[in-house]
């Protein structure tokens, strides 16, 4: 597709739960089979079918997606879900990692993967390697097909500089699958070699972390999203800037982009128009644009032009947006929100 010039809402469905994570249900999302899987605050996985012959028309807005729950598996929040070559895999606050049959929506395998809450899951582009991060501050790499533990990567401190427990929020693979990045509450990022588990470098983004030493003696923020550029040379880091009141997400949505091989910060993007956490990041196929999404009480989707570092497109996106899939082939964006699941059209302008 060309440059994204507009985001158009196509279809949505309201839910009583907080929808925290989202993935495709098959290898790709075809035009006639737009099926996604969402993990929520009730410990459930739910399949949503957005397929519709009218998905590009006004009629689509009145055609609600159908939903089908998976069988029971998690006992608490499902914080990550991903398609792999071993099936759908989910993680949650119950410390479990569960493999699912995507057609039968039944459990294939489950293990206790971490000692504390699991925050995020990522899968290599070829679907064969899983990375999980948790509040035990470990990043673990797993064989997606066999469930075998491959590596445990440790570089993040369990305690913040102010002597409170830290959290390991974010993990992402590079487009080649050869590198992996992890990011924590205080803004520390580690880059790893996937095949060996060897640490390749580290970065710091302390502007993502706010500490209130007076009113609350409490900290907030942290790195909530990571994404490598398609070329592999850049690493985008998402979170929130300085917060005046740490009881709320009243701070600018913040993105920092690094040349990770040179350990150099290239640009910092701070947005006060749409405040809150940047929960999701996605580079366009030619690395000319960066899609960011998240929110405070409200949700947002913002597309940056990386040549000018200015906003190309920005929309208010229902309530807080936790999860996102971008499918450029079909020009669709699927989002998991607080109380809603939605589908958007990425309207483009052909590249000259």
């Amino acid at each position: 597709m060309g440059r994204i010039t507009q985001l158009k809402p196509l279809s949505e469905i309201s839910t009583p739960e907080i929808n925290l994570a989202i993935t495709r249900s098959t290898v790709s999302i075809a035009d006639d089979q737009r099926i996604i899987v969402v993990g929520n605050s009730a410990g459930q996985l739910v399949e949503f079918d957005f397929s519709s012959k009218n998905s590009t028309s006004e009629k689509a807005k009145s055609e609600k997606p159908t939903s089908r729950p998976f069988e029971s598996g998690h006992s608490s929040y499902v914080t990550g879900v991903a398609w792999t070559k071993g099936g759908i895999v989910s993680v949650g606050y119950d410390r479990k990692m569960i493999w699912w049959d995507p057609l039968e929506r039944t459990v294939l395998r489950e293990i206790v993967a971490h000692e504390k809450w699991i925050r995020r899951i990522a899968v290599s582009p070829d679907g064969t390697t899983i990375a999980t991060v948790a509040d035990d501050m470990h990043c673990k790499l797993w064989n997606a097909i066999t469930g075998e533990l491959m590596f445990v990567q440790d570089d993040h401190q369990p305690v913040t500089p102010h002597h409170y427990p830290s959290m390991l929020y974010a993990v992402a693979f590079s487009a080649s699958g050869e590198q992996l990045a992890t990011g924590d509450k205080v803004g520390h990022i580690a880059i790893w070699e996937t095949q060996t588990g060897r640490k390749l470098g580290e970065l710091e983004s302390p502007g993502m972390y706010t500490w209130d030493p007076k009113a609350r003696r409490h900290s907030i923020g942290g790195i909530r999203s990571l994404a490598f550029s398609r070329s592999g040379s850049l690493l985008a880091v998402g979170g929130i800037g300085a917060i005046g009141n740490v009881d709320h997400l009243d701070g600018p949505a913040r993105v920092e982009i690094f040349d990770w091989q040179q350990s150099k910060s290239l640009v910092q993007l701070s947005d006060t128009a749409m405040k809150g956490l940047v929960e999701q990041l996605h580079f366009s196929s030619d690395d000319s644009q960066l899609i960011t999404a998240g929110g405070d009480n409200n949700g947002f989707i913002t597309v940056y032009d990386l040549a000018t570092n200015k906003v190309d497109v920005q929309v208010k996106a229902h309530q807080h947006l936790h999860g996102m899939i971008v499918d450029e082939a079909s020009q669709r964006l699927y989002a998991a929100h607080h109380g809603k699941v939605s589908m958007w059209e990425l309207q483009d302008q052909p590249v000259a």
Side-chain angles (χ1 to χ4, degrees):
M1 65 179 291
R3 293 183 62 81
I4 300 167
T5 58
Q6 188 176 348
L7 287 161
K8 179 182 177 182
L10 292 179
S11 185
E12 64 182 49
I13 183 170
S14 295
T15 70
E17 302 86 14
I18 304 170
N19 301 293
L20 297 166
I22 187 169
T23 190
R24 63 187 190 270
S25 67
T26 56
V27 177
S28 62
I29 305 175
D31 284 343
D32 60 346
Q33 193 179 27
R34 297 190 174 110
I35 300 174
I36 53 103
V37 176
V38 170
N40 66 35
S41 58
Q44 302 170 322
L45 265 65
V46 181
E47 178 186 277
F48 292 92
D49 188 349
F50 282 86
S51 305
S52 171
K53 292 181 181 179
N54 301 292
S55 61
T56 59
S57 72
E58 288 300 315
K59 185 177 178 181
K61 293 183 179 180
S62 64
E63 295 180 353
K64 297 298 181 184
T66 58
S67 64
R68 291 176 291 271
F70 281 50
E71 74 174 4
S72 298
H74 288 282
S75 59
S76 187
Y77 285 21
V78 179
T79 53
V81 60
W83 177 90
T84 79
K85 285 192 174 178
I88 299 291
V89 180
S90 61
V91 296
Y93 280 1
D94 58 5
R95 303 177 292 122
K96 290 181 182 179
M97 182 159 59
I98 302 178
W99 279 255
W100 306 82
D101 182 321
L103 298 178
E104 299 296 329
R105 300 184 297 280
T106 54
V107 174
L108 297 173
R109 176 196 300 120
E110 71 173 60
I111 62 172
V112 175
H114 286 266
E115 296 176 3
K116 294 185 177 181
W117 289 356
I118 305 176
R119 294 285 183 171
R120 191 69 65 94
I121 186 173
V123 178
S124 61
D126 66 2
T128 63
T129 305
I130 296 168
T132 56
V133 291
D135 285 355
D136 57 15
M137 306 310 285
H138 299 311
C139 173
K140 296 186 178 184
L141 267 64
W142 311 81
N143 184 304
I145 298 169
T146 67
E148 177 189 3
L149 177 62
M150 299 163 58
F151 300 109
V152 178
Q153 298 164 319
D154 293 319
D155 191 64
H156 298 271
Q157 296 301 313
V159 177
T160 72
H162 300 98
H163 312 295
Y164 285 83
S166 189
M167 292 93 175
L168 187 52
Y169 286 121
V171 61
F173 282 92
S174 64
S176 67
E178 295 175 358
Q179 292 86 33
L180 181 80
T182 54
D184 66 25
K185 184 172 185 176
V186 300
H188 178 70
I189 306 127
I191 298 95
W192 310 88
E193 185 175 62
T194 307
Q195 189 172 12
T196 64
R198 179 173 65 94
K199 183 180 172 183
L200 298 175
E202 60 183 46
L203 304 165
E204 304 295 337
S205 186
M208 302 287 183
Y209 173 74
T210 296
W211 163 251
D212 180 355
K214 297 179 180 178
R216 293 288 186 271
R217 294 193 61 80
H218 175 64
S219 62
I220 195 170
I223 293 170
R224 302 304 180 103
S225 53
L226 294 160
F228 286 90
S229 62
R230 301 300 179 91
S231 69
S233 62
L234 304 179
L235 180 66
V237 178
I240 190 169
I243 302 170
N245 181 349
V246 297
D247 290 333
H248 303 282
L249 296 176
D250 186 24
R254 189 174 189 273
V255 175
E256 189 166 4
I257 301 176
F258 292 88
D259 178 335
W260 67 269
Q261 292 168 309
Q262 300 297 321
S263 300
K264 182 179 180 181
S265 176
L266 301 178
V267 64
Q268 298 178 22
L269 306 171
S270 183
D271 182 15
T272 57
M274 296 284 185
K275 295 183 177 181
L277 295 165
V278 176
E279 302 270 19
Q280 297 290 320
L281 294 163
H282 177 89
F283 280 90
S284 64
S285 58
D286 62 357
D287 285 339
S288 66
Q289 292 178 299
L290 179 67
I291 304 173
T292 73
D296 47 14
N297 292 327
N298 299 309
F300 66 78
I301 305 172
T302 302
V303 183
Y304 286 99
D305 180 340
L306 294 182
T308 64
N309 297 322
K310 294 184 178 180
V311 173
D312 265 347
V313 185
Q314 187 169 68
V315 295
K316 184 177 178 180
H318 311 302
Q319 291 180 284
H320 190 114
L321 191 157
H322 296 276
M324 178 180 77
I325 307 169
V326 178
D327 184 64
E328 293 189 44
S330 64
Q331 297 185 214
R332 295 291 182 270
L333 183 153
Y334 302 85
H337 309 257
H338 193 117
K340 199 179 291 288
V341 180
S342 65
M343 178 176 71
W344 301 70
E345 181 183 8
L346 304 173
Q347 297 186 335
D348 69 343
Q349 175 180 313
V351 178

